[in-house]
Each structure stands twice: as structure tokens, then as C-alpha cells.
Amino acid sequence: MAHAKQSKPGKGKAKKAQKPAKSAKGKAGKLDKAAKKAAAKLAKAQAEGRDRTLRPDQAKALVEKVAARYVEAEAAELAPEPAGSIGSLLRLAPGAPVDLAGFDAGATPGVSSRAQAEAQLPALSARLSALQERLYADAVGSGSPRRVLLVLQGMDTSGKGGTVRHVVGRLDPNGIRIKAFKAPTEEELAHDFLWRVRSEVPQPGQIGIFDRSQYEDVLVAKVRKLVLAMHIARRYGAINKFEQSLVTEGCVVVKCFLHISLEEQRERLLARLEDPEKRWKYNPGDVDDRLLWPQFQDAYRVAIERCGTEAAPWHLIPADRKWYRNYAVLRLLIEALEGIDPQYPPGDYDLAAERARVLAS
Amino acid sequence: MAHAKQSKPGKGKAKKAQKPAKSAKGKAGKLDKAAKKAAAKLAKAQAEGRDRTLRPDQAKALVEKVAARYVEAEAAELAPEPAGSIGSLLRLAPGAPVDLAGFDAGATPGVSSRAQAEAQLPALSARLSALQERLYADAVGSGSPRRVLLVLQGMDTSGKGGTVRHVVGRLDPNGIRIKAFKAPTEEELAHDFLWRVRSEVPQPGQIGIFDRSQYEDVLVAKVRKLVLAMHIARRYGAINKFEQSLVTEGCVVVKCFLHISLEEQRERLLARLEDPEKRWKYNPGDVDDRLLWPQFQDAYRVAIERCGTEAAPWHLIPADRKWYRNYAVLRLLIEALEGIDPQYPPGDYDLAAERARVLAS
């Protein structure tokens, strides 16, 4: 069940579930974070030639500023491990009616603060890496068909690209397959709408990422009336059949709707206009879509209601806070992989004989 | 010109070019590295359930052990910026005869120590990120056709996958396109050998990575006699024409031969057999190829001689040391992007009018 606005999830219960942090580990984590961020800021500034004259005392102040957040975090006795499943908090129950306006885009279900989430990141990131390697190894070594497909949908500025950068960026690129779907080309339009999607699904052992997806064909196509309503109506069923076939083939489908508020979108669009280095990200067409906000929200509601299935349920990710969005998708990916529970395969060769062959060569 | 065995490159001259490190930045970098590595080890051990009982004193010892390397590095007065071009040290002169056995696979041209290389990583990584974003922005915002293709070739265990993990892993996944070429399928064999390669080249703004490439068709195809010699002979010219067309379209082609020694390959194959979590990486066929080492080296020699062009030269990356291989490819990528010198595009819209539209919406 997903968190409704009135429930204020992730506060009371989560805190009681916390175990006291081990002090040495906690301190190492804080040092790490503080120094890492400060060093990265410094290096970025220098690389961009923005601040070649940063003095040692300024650098020190920067480290201390970032470190301060972690002192606060220590006082809150950080939980080294997240408690419970975030999927169960974010999953929208298949078949149930959806009221998007009822969900607080600024909520943080499953975690009580940014500091708590960030303190968990090193361990979560390591777990993700270990699971990804085993998924890949299992496919290569045992022919396992298992794979994962992460589907990211959301309004402009909701953070699809940011999720790819910060969450997918933690994965080993050897095992990922990313596809950003743009407006369909002439050739793509000449085929069934799923044609271009089918050719981009992840292969066994891979984690696939769709930045936009088959859902654009029941969202923008519907709102902009690019396709007759009777064709849109048929597409929900086609999508369900397609996703069911993926699941049958061994693919776990993790669908995420990045839910931002109208106000937050305004701030993000303005930020793109203010910063000369972000102006290229701004597209006047984004405001055209923004003016159709209610229509898009309704199209999302219908898509989620019609295509939220037991095989491939939708997750609603509150996305006004970028750190929470990243944290939530990271944990959903981990839970998807834990559900698969991939194992390192034994070699299907004679170990002693191969050792002898290598030594003799 | 590439570094020959006798020249011991990266020693004398590089040291003189070093500037004294700024102490605050140096210390932040060291803290960062030490704490980061220790935290990662800790987290990995815990994630894998290998050591849930690590005591605080053990954690402290781990941090100190890793930190020790950086104390040594400080004494050497690390250069915060690499001096000169690594491309000029690693590029094999087009048209010149190549003697692979004459290159020391353990050399480290352009850097005097691992500590020096690692001290440069935060700044190099930040520069790579900044350049990648500008490359992408330039394509999206100004329609620039510029792009980069990194081609990785080398014997089994030479570190193609490791380079993708550690170097490509530093990039924003939104702007990369990775293709690992396997043995061709029936369908691929039914087409010209470049057919499957053409469909995988990077699009404008992207950094493409080929893990194996069109060169397999003049390497394994030649050594294993999968194709008539007369066809192999024609392929070199076809590859040159193909790569020239990429360059003409705005693509910088960075070709890297990861050069390892026969001895290092033995160690790496044995390591895969020893570690139960690495056994899936071992393939008995790797030893079959190893037994044909001289034939493969000769096929590489011919490919490099025939396809080392001014438009798309080959680089020889000494790859017995993994840290050097990663460092060298990272710097080559940065130099390729610096050659393009991509810029943030100005928005092609009326800034004031758009600001007003957003505020009114």
C-alpha cells in the first residue's frame, strides 16, 4: 500500500526500529561522506575554472560545513540497515482506484531524514553491486534467464535523468542496458507502438532501464490526441500482455512513477532558466505540457489503474525531494534483485584439470 | 610515440614537472580515499555476510592501513595536475612497423606511481564529467554532431570489462552507449561483417564504448581461420573506410589495445580458478586462445599496422597494472573530449518571455 498524504509515513515506527549505530563505522562513514563531497566540489570548481584560487582555509570550511550534517545525524542514532520493505510502502495496489492528488510529493516513506538515508548509502550501494554481479554471473555461468527492467515515468523535471545518473550510475556499466525513448520516428510510427520497445528489453543477466517507455503511447499520445481514442483504449491491454510476457520470460519489471508537485516543477523550470549551464535543458514545449497538467495527471491515473497488475505493479515515488527519489529507487532495485536471489554459479569444468592446463601453458 | 621497453618512461622527466601539492587539498583527498575505501570494504563484507562481527578496532585498523599509502604519497609531493598529453605517449605512429614484444606491459608512461595517479583521480573524474555534460548539451541544444567512440581490444583477461567498470563507470549513464560484441550470430554472419557494428555507433552527444569490435573479424577470424585469407585481407581497408566515415561525421575514435604479458594472463586465469566468486568468469576456451598467443599477437600487429591511421590511430595501453590501465584510458577519454572542446549552448528561446510563461503557469 502506498503512503497517503495524511499518514506521514516513515516517522514514528521507523525510528523505533532503529538499532544504535556502531560508533567506529558511523564515524568512518561521516568522514567519508564529508571529505568526499568537499573534494568533489573542490575538484569540480577547479575543473570548470570557476575557482582556481580557493584557499586552504576555504577548503577546510567546506569540509566542516558538510561534516556538520553528519553530527546531527549521529545524534539521531542512525540505523545502519533500513527496516522492512520499501516496495510495500510504495506499491500501488493493483486494481484499486488511484487519486494522485492524494499523495504528498514531498513525503519520505520508509526513512526519517536525509541524513539517515545517506548514512545507509555505502551499504546499500555495496549490496546493489554484489547482487548485480551475481545476476550477471548467473546468466553467463548457468544460463539463467533472470533480468530486471526499471521503467521510469514522470512529468518533465520529475527526475528521470537524475535517477539514471545517481542510481543507475552506481551499477557496473557492463551489465546495464539503457534506452531513453524520444518522440517516435517515421519508421517507428509505421510499426505497432510496442515494436521499438520490444527490441530494447534487457537480455538475461542485464538490468535494463527505460527512461520513458511504452507508457508514452497512452500518455502524450492520449493528451495530445495523436491517436484515436479507440486505439488508446486497446493499448492498455497490449501493454499488460507485453509486460506479462516479460515476467514469464524471467524479467522483474519495476515500474516507477516519479510524482512531483506543480509547485516543484515551477521551481525546477525556473532553475533551468536561471543557470546558463542548465539552459540547454529547458524546452519551451515543457510549459505547453505544464499547461495541460490536469490532463496529464488524469492520463497517468488511467494508465496506472489499467496497467497496475500483480505481475508488474506500479510504484509511486514521491519525487519533490531528489535525495528521497534516488534512495527509494535504489532500494526498489535492491529488493527486485533480492527477490531473484541470484547465486554465483559453480564452474561447469574440471577445476583441477583447468588449473593444470593454465600452469602448463 | 609510444614508450618502448628500454625507455623507462614516466620516471625522470615527469617528476621534475610536478608542482608541490596544496596541503589542504592533498589531505582532504587522502582522508577521502582512505575512508572511502575502508567504508566500501566494510560495507561489502557486511553485505555479503562475510564478516558481521567486525569490531570497531578492526575497522579503525583498516582505515589506518589504507591511509598509510597516502602518507607515502604526500612525501613524494604529488602533482595535482598531470603534465603533458598521455595520448602522445601511448599513440602508435600510423604507418610505422609495430613490435608488440618490445613494449613493457608493466610500464606506466606519464605517471610515476600509483599514489600519484590516484591523487589525480578526483580532479580527472570531475573534468571528465564536466566535459561529458557539455558534449551532451552541445548535441541537444545546438545540434552538434560531435561524439566519441572508445574501442577496447585485448586478449582474454586484459581488462576490457574492468576498464568499462572503472572508467566508463565514472560517466553519466544518460550519455553512454555500450556494446559488448560476442561471437556473431547466424543473422550477423549472413550480413557483411560491419553490419552489426554500424548499428551500434554512438549518436551525437554520446560516448560509445565497444568492448571488442570490428577488429575481432581480423583477429579471431584470422587466427581460427574462420574466413578465407583473401577476405581478411579486404577487411582492413573496409575498417579504415568505416572509421574514416565516423570521423568525417564528427566522431572521435579512440582505439585502445590493452597489452598484457603472457605471465600476467597466467596469474589472472589462475586467480579466476582460485576464487569461487570468480569461477564463472573462467572459460576453458581462454586457454585454447592462450595456446595460440604468438598467432594472436601477430594478428594484432598486422591489424594495428594496417588500421593505424591519422584519422583513427591505435593506442597501446600497458595493462599488466590495472590501476595504470584505468588511469591511461581515463586520460585518453578526457583528451579526446578536450579536443572537441564542447560548449554549453545558449538557449534558442526568449529567456524573459519563457520566465514569464513559467511564472504565469
Side-chain angles (χ1 to χ4, degrees):
Chain A
M1 239 314 141
H3 46 100
K5 251 181 185 165
Q6 55 277 23
S7 73
K8 297 272 177 195
K11 290 269 162 129
K13 272 186 200 167
K15 242 176 190 167
K16 276 181 195 155
Q18 286 169 21
K19 287 167 268 175
K22 281 168 198 159
S23 71
K25 193 187 164 193
K27 277 180 190 164
K30 277 182 289 172
L31 259 179
D32 171 38
K33 287 280 159 195
K36 188 176 161 189
K37 287 206 173 179
K41 278 195 183 179
L42 233 81
K44 185 161 186 274
Q46 292 194 331
E48 293 170 354
R50 278 195 283 108
D51 192 354
R52 293 185 186 283
T53 60
L54 197 81
R55 300 185 309 273
D57 61 309
Q58 290 175 307
K60 188 163 168 281
L62 198 57
V63 172
E64 284 169 359
K65 188 179 157 192
V66 182
R69 186 190 296 154
Y70 295 92
V71 176
E72 182 199 348
E74 190 178 43
E77 285 192 345
L78 297 172
E81 295 286 329
S85 150
I86 206 165
S88 62
L89 297 173
L90 302 175
R91 185 157 48 242
L92 295 164
V98 172
D99 173 22
L100 291 180
F103 290 100
D104 179 2
T108 64
V111 68
S112 59
S113 68
R114 178 173 184 165
Q116 193 192 44
E118 290 186 353
Q120 295 172 8
L121 285 182
L124 290 174
S125 193
R127 197 181 312 168
L128 180 70
S129 297
L131 285 162
Q132 186 198 7
E133 184 169 271
R134 269 187 254 147
L135 180 76
Y136 190 76
D138 212 8
V140 172
S142 304
S144 164
R146 306 309 300 269
R147 61 198 96 169
V148 174
L149 173 62
L150 176 68
V151 175
L152 298 173
Q153 284 287 161
M155 298 293 289
D156 291 316
T157 77
S158 64
K160 300 179 289 294
T163 305
V164 170
R165 191 175 310 114
H166 297 289
V167 182
V168 179
R170 292 178 186 275
L171 291 165
D172 180 341
N174 287 295
I176 66 175
R177 176 165 185 173
I178 305 178
K179 175 64 184 179
F181 288 97
K182 311 289 182 193
T185 62
E186 290 280 328
E187 189 190 12
E188 288 167 350
L189 285 172
H191 290 82
D192 174 72
F193 77 103
L194 289 173
W195 176 75
R196 65 174 186 163
V197 180
R198 288 183 205 280
S199 66
E200 298 289 347
V201 300
Q203 299 301 298
Q206 287 185 328
I207 297 176
I209 299 96
F210 282 180
D211 172 353
R212 302 185 189 271
S213 65
Q214 58 273 19
Y215 286 97
E216 290 298 310
D217 298 295
V218 292
L219 294 166
V220 66
K222 181 182 186 183
V223 173
R224 296 251 169 232
K225 299 186 172 53
L226 305 177
V227 175
L228 289 176
M230 57 177 278
H231 292 310
I232 297 286
R234 280 190 200 122
R235 286 180 175 180
Y236 302 109
I239 288 174
N240 287 344
K241 205 171 148 188
F242 165 62
E243 292 178 357
Q244 177 62 61
S245 74
L246 287 179
V247 172
T248 304
E249 288 164 15
C251 184
V252 178
V253 181
V254 182
K255 299 190 291 195
C256 296
F257 170 57
L258 307 183
H259 178 51
I260 56 165
S261 63
L262 192 60
E263 299 70 37
E264 179 67 17
Q265 193 194 47
R266 177 187 291 123
E267 295 310 310
R268 293 187 186 178
L269 288 172
L270 289 174
R272 288 182 179 181
L273 289 170
E274 294 317 313
D275 185 345
E277 295 190 354
K278 284 186 177 173
R279 276 182 200 147
W280 64 275
K281 292 187 184 181
Y282 181 89
N283 181 343
D286 297 348
V287 179
D288 301 338
D289 280 359
R290 178 174 169 79
L291 294 170
L292 296 169
W293 187 274
Q295 291 89 326
F296 270 103
Q297 295 289 304
D298 194 61
Y300 267 109
R301 177 188 64 77
V302 176
I304 292 170
E305 287 180 356
R306 299 285 300 270
C307 300
T309 59
E310 291 292 343
W314 271 101
H315 300 83
L316 186 140
I317 316 289
D320 272 7
R321 301 174 199 236
K322 294 176 182 174
W323 66 264
Y324 179 75
R325 174 201 73 207
N326 294 336
Y327 172 80
V329 177
L330 175 61
R331 282 192 56 195
L332 282 178
L333 261 188
I334 290 172
E335 290 177 7
L337 289 161
E338 285 174 341
I340 294 175
D341 191 24
Q343 300 298 326
Y344 283 111
D348 60 348
Y349 45 80
D350 180 334
L351 192 60
E354 290 302 324
R355 194 180 284 127
R357 281 182 78 213
V358 173
L359 285 169
S361 67
Chain B
M1 240 315 141
H3 47 99
K5 251 182 183 166
Q6 54 277 24
S7 69
K8 295 272 177 195
K11 292 268 164 128
K13 272 186 198 169
K15 242 179 190 163
K16 275 181 196 157
Q18 287 168 21
K19 288 168 270 178
K22 282 169 196 158
S23 70
K25 191 187 162 192
K27 277 180 188 163
K30 277 182 291 169
L31 258 180
D32 171 39
K33 287 280 161 199
K36 188 177 161 188
K37 288 207 175 179
K41 278 194 183 180
L42 233 78
K44 186 161 186 275
Q46 292 193 330
E48 294 171 353
R50 277 196 283 107
D51 192 353
R52 294 184 185 281
T53 59
L54 198 80
R55 299 183 311 270
D57 60 308
Q58 290 175 307
K60 187 161 168 286
L62 198 56
V63 172
E64 284 170 358
K65 188 179 159 194
V66 181
R69 187 192 294 155
Y70 294 92
V71 176
E72 180 199 349
E74 189 180 43
E77 286 192 344
L78 297 171
E81 295 286 328
S85 149
I86 206 164
S88 62
L89 296 173
L90 302 176
R91 187 157 46 244
L92 295 164
V98 172
D99 172 23
L100 292 180
F103 290 101
D104 179 1
T108 65
V111 67
S112 59
S113 69
R114 177 173 184 165
Q116 192 191 45
E118 290 186 354
Q120 294 173 7
L121 285 183
L124 290 174
S125 193
R127 195 183 309 167
L128 180 70
S129 296
L131 284 162
Q132 185 198 8
E133 184 169 271
R134 269 187 253 147
L135 179 77
Y136 190 76
D138 212 8
V140 171
S142 303
S144 164
R146 308 307 301 270
R147 62 198 94 170
V148 174
L149 174 62
L150 176 68
V151 176
L152 298 174
Q153 284 286 163
M155 298 293 288
D156 291 316
T157 78
S158 64
K160 300 180 290 292
T163 306
V164 170
R165 190 173 312 115
H166 296 290
V167 181
V168 178
R170 292 178 185 276
L171 292 164
D172 180 342
N174 287 294
I176 65 174
R177 177 166 184 170
I178 305 178
K179 176 64 184 178
F181 288 98
K182 311 289 181 191
T185 61
E186 289 280 327
E187 187 190 12
E188 287 168 351
L189 286 172
H191 290 82
D192 175 72
F193 77 104
L194 288 174
W195 177 75
R196 64 174 188 163
V197 180
R198 288 185 204 279
S199 66
E200 298 290 346
V201 299
Q203 299 302 296
Q206 287 184 329
I207 298 176
I209 300 96
F210 283 180
D211 171 354
R212 303 186 188 269
S213 67
Q214 59 272 18
Y215 286 96
E216 291 297 312
D217 298 294
V218 291
L219 293 166
V220 66
K222 182 181 185 184
V223 173
R224 296 253 169 228
K225 299 187 171 54
L226 306 176
V227 176
L228 288 176
M230 57 176 279
H231 293 309
I232 297 285
R234 282 188 198 125
R235 286 181 175 181
Y236 301 109
I239 289 175
N240 287 344
K241 204 172 149 188
F242 166 63
E243 291 178 357
Q244 176 63 61
S245 73
L246 287 178
V247 172
T248 303
E249 288 164 16
C251 184
V252 179
V253 182
V254 183
K255 299 190 291 194
C256 296
F257 170 57
L258 307 184
H259 177 52
I260 56 166
S261 63
L262 191 61
E263 298 70 36
E264 180 66 18
Q265 193 194 49
R266 176 186 291 124
E267 294 309 310
R268 294 187 184 179
L269 288 173
L270 289 175
R272 289 181 179 183
L273 289 171
E274 294 317 314
D275 185 345
E277 295 190 355
K278 285 187 178 171
R279 275 179 202 149
W280 63 277
K281 293 187 184 181
Y282 181 89
N283 181 342
D286 296 349
V287 179
D288 300 338
D289 280 359
R290 179 173 167 79
L291 295 171
L292 295 169
W293 187 274
Q295 290 90 327
F296 270 102
Q297 294 290 303
D298 194 61
Y300 267 109
R301 177 189 64 76
V302 176
I304 291 170
E305 287 180 355
R306 298 284 299 271
C307 299
T309 60
E310 291 292 343
W314 272 101
H315 300 83
L316 186 140
I317 316 289
D320 272 5
R321 299 173 200 238
K322 294 175 183 175
W323 67 263
Y324 179 76
R325 173 202 75 207
N326 293 337
Y327 173 80
V329 177
L330 175 62
R331 283 191 57 193
L332 282 178
L333 261 188
I334 290 172
E335 290 177 8
L337 288 161
E338 284 174 341
I340 293 175
D341 192 23
Q343 300 299 324
Y344 283 111
D348 60 348
Y349 47 78
D350 181 335
L351 192 58
E354 290 300 325
R355 195 180 283 127
R357 282 182 76 213
V358 173
L359 286 170
S361 67

